[in-house]
Amino acid sequence: MVRRQNKLSKVLLSIVMILFAIYAAFPIVWMLICSFKQNDYIFAWPPKIIDESFGLRTYVRVLTDPVKLRFFLNSYIVSAAVVVLTLIIGIMAAYAFSRFDFPLKKAVNSIIVSVQAIPQICLLIPYMGIIVALQLFNTYWALILTYLVMTLPYCILMMTGYFNTLSKELDDSVRIDGGSRFRALWGVLVPISTPALVSVGLYTFMTAWNEYLFALVLTQTTNMRTIPIGINLLITEHNYDWSMMMSMSVLGSLPILILFLFFQKYFISGMSSGAIKG
Amino acid sequence: MATVELKHISKVFSNAEKKANKNIPAEATHAVSDFNLKIADKEFVVLVGPSGCGKSTTLRMIAGLEEITDGELYIDDVQVNDMEPKDRDIAMVFQNYALYPHMTVFDNIAFPLKLRKTPKEEIKKRVEEVAQILDITEYLKRKPKKLSGGQRQRVAIGRAIVREPKVLLMDEPLSNLDAKLRNQMRAEIIALRDKINTTFVYVTHDQTEAMTLGDRIVIMKDGFIQQVASPQDAFDHPANIFVAGFIGAPAMNFFPAKLERVGDEYYVQVEKLRVKLADEKCAKLAAKNVASQDITLGVRPSHIRVDQGGDELQGTIEVSEMMGTEVHLHVKHNDNVVVIIVPVAGSYEKYSKYLKHDQKVGFSFDGEACHVFDAEGKNLEA
Ligand SMILES: Nc1ncnc2c1ncn2[C@@H]1O[C@H](COP(=O)(O)OP(=O)(O)O)[C@@H](O)[C@H]1O
Ligand SMILES: [Mg+2]
């Protein structure tokens, strides 16, 4: 009796889960299908999954267009730089927070936390002013510097929490064995923090890769635009190139998808191990 | 040659350092106060005392991990107060092993040599030698996660001794092991001493470990040294009540008593029991011209005898623990519990009555067994 009930609830649960999965996956699948069609066929009625326009033609159009390729290059440069800088600066800041006592430690910590709480739109105008004053408008650095403000707090908080779970005797041990604190950090603490670093790195990459608002405002010329802006540029007054948008979206989602699949194992364990203390 | 000398060493943890740790009250902690000790070459010195008495802090100051607030520290007659840990040529074994989890056992042990740019073949040779000594050769390729507690401890020791440091510091290295393994590792550390030429400074809160390992033991309390002595000396002639109670297990019993001087002879009186101190003790007290006074009398559990007749102290057995070759009695006497060790010699009849609850028992001791402490707790003989 009990067993049958269990079985029934399992079946019900599965049905609900499948419905949710379909609901979540539908836009992605639709995007994928549309990206293989020609623009004129997308709104054909009745809708067909595969029609005579089905093929790689749009992808070829995207990948042979230097303007579109430039969007991808820009996104890769900015995102990679943000990930590298966030991790380097964040790791060192987190080490200081975890291992040292310094004046105003609490105050600095609260500032870092509160930066995250300010809506980004409020920061747009001040940053615009700063970036223009620094003569960085319409450069990679304009995006990299503003993205660091978004990604560093999370990185510092996560890594401080993670380092706090690692015994200080590890540092002591390295220093006695003949190394410096620098060596202890990069030679021991960082290698054993891989799960946390992967999850922080992924989050950072996604933030930089997907960012739209600042990228729109802080760059001006087409050759400095990133993918999210590039996709949006396809919407013009006279022409919505849906199939082009869809194939660019697919190509734009691909890196994140690949990273997730590749680091899945680390990502999940990083989320949970950082949660123990912090 | 490696001597270590601590001259008037003190450590104060200021407010700023402590705010991070909410468990510690707000004012400054004097973790170590006026610590003086000269450690000879190849000596095995044990710092022992209850938790929080400043043992680890002292050790960490010798290592250079903790700044010295006041005083001078010499290693081989060179003042090292401001020297970095890596330049002091010391090694340390930590309580939780502090092995590098992402490296194999081989790489863990090789790490200090690599940092010192030792040639590769030399590293291999030395690591294998050490692995041989510690019997961990078969685990060299494993990661620490795959080792048992005892094996991890050996790796930690291996990493410490591989570069033949002048001084080997150990901070409670055995306290994470279970009792059986602890005894085994203790024996191995004793054996290790003969194999390597190093000065040892060993920290423990466990008096048995201190007694069995140390050439000399330093008993500490609240940051102050209570006594520096050989284990036997600390046991036979404790400097004060604290040392008397801390060294030896089960702990010494204390009674409020009166010391009475009659010429050059001394008597202690506890209730109706009057005992003449041993001649040697009398001579010491007389030489110091100690007067009659109220004292605390200390007697070790194994020096108390039961049911000898005559004027005895009376008590009731609350607990009796059968230990095989002896019975430990916990006897309620006035408001105190007195622990008495009764040897299980001869027939069952002889000791069976002591296994009974609420049994009345009389007990006494002789003048050899008495330790006399004044009102401040100092040993009057010392
Ligand atoms: N980093 C620190 N900051 C503040 N107080 C400390 C610190 N380390 C130790 N103490 C204090 O110093 C005293 C001695 O500690 P410790 O040397 O660790 O004792 P033990 O090793 O004998 O148990 C304790 O009161 C402890 O709370
Ligand atoms: Mg300690």
Side-chain angles (χ1 to χ4, degrees), chain A:
Chain A
M1 190 61 205
V2 174
R3 197 184 269 168
R4 191 177 287 172
Q5 235 172 15
N6 263 347
K7 216 172 186 178
L8 190 73
S9 64
K10 245 184 208 164
V11 169
L12 275 176
L13 192 66
S14 304
I15 292 174
V16 173
M17 300 292 258
I18 288 168
L19 286 177
F20 266 116
I22 292 172
Y23 177 73
F26 181 75
I28 299 167
V29 174
W30 193 243
M31 169 177 86
L32 211 62
I33 292 170
C34 289
S35 72
F36 289 106
K37 294 182 181 178
Q38 294 296 300
N39 207 26
D40 303 337
Y41 292 82
I42 284 179
F43 294 107
W45 195 261
K48 276 188 190 162
I49 289 179
I50 294 178
D51 56 37
E52 55 267 39
S53 78
F54 203 87
L56 288 171
R57 237 180 303 173
T58 343
Y59 283 97
V60 175
R61 271 200 315 158
V62 172
L63 293 172
T64 52
D65 181 351
V67 177
K68 307 273 182 315
L69 287 178
R70 180 72 194 222
F71 297 152
F72 282 97
L73 180 71
N74 291 343
S75 273
Y76 276 113
I77 290 175
V78 170
S79 302
V82 170
V83 169
V84 170
L85 288 175
T86 299
L87 289 183
I88 291 176
I89 300 170
I91 283 169
M92 293 202 283
Y95 185 78
F97 274 115
S98 166
R99 297 305 200 241
F100 299 119
D101 246 326
F102 47 85
L104 297 180
K105 179 169 170 173
K106 273 221 175 97
V108 176
N109 201 50
S110 331
I111 290 171
I112 290 176
V113 173
S114 58
V115 165
Q116 280 188 308
I118 301 173
Q120 280 170 8
I121 191 99
C122 302
L123 297 171
L124 192 61
I125 306 294
Y127 280 169
M128 179 78 183
I130 294 170
I131 294 295
V132 169
L134 291 173
Q135 304 198 324
L136 295 173
F137 182 71
N138 199 36
T139 63
Y140 290 138
W141 283 109
L143 299 185
I144 293 169
L145 289 180
T146 44
Y147 293 175
L148 282 178
V149 179
M150 301 175 195
T151 56
L152 266 175
Y154 178 74
C155 178
I156 294 172
L157 294 179
M158 278 290 286
M159 292 318 295
T160 306
Y162 199 83
F163 287 160
N164 281 342
T165 65
L166 302 177
S167 163
K168 291 191 171 98
E169 293 187 352
L170 281 172
D171 309 42
D172 294 340
S173 185
V174 173
R175 290 173 66 204
I176 282 180
D177 284 348
S180 55
R181 277 193 179 277
F182 194 81
R183 176 85 192 209
L185 173 59
W186 294 100
V188 175
L189 296 196
V190 167
I192 58 185
S193 305
T194 324
L197 287 171
V198 165
S199 81
V200 168
L202 273 174
Y203 165 82
T204 305
F205 184 86
M206 282 197 329
T207 304
W209 186 264
N210 293 334
E211 207 284 329
Y212 181 80
L213 187 61
F214 284 72
L216 182 69
V217 175
L218 297 178
T219 62
Q220 191 172 34
T221 55
T222 311
N223 69 338
M224 288 310 297
R225 297 300 200 179
T226 54
I227 295 170
I229 312 295
I231 295 173
N232 204 44
L233 285 178
L234 295 171
I235 303 177
T236 62
E237 215 173 313
H238 308 290
N239 180 22
Y240 286 24
D241 193 342
W242 288 108
S243 69
M244 187 82 122
M245 276 191 253
M246 290 305 147
S247 52
M248 273 184 75
S249 299
V250 171
L251 289 172
S253 316
L254 222 50
I256 290 173
L257 198 70
I258 291 171
L259 286 174
F260 257 97
L261 289 178
F262 196 71
F263 288 119
Q264 198 176 29
K265 184 182 83 183
Y266 287 113
F267 191 58
I268 290 162
S269 75
M271 297 280 271
S272 50
S273 58
I276 294 168
K277 230 184 191 184

Side-chain angles (χ1 to χ4, degrees), chain B residues 52 55-57 95 171-172 203:
Chain B
K55 310 176 297 281
S56 295
T57 306
Q95 177 173 354
D171 192 352
E172 314 234 3
V203 161

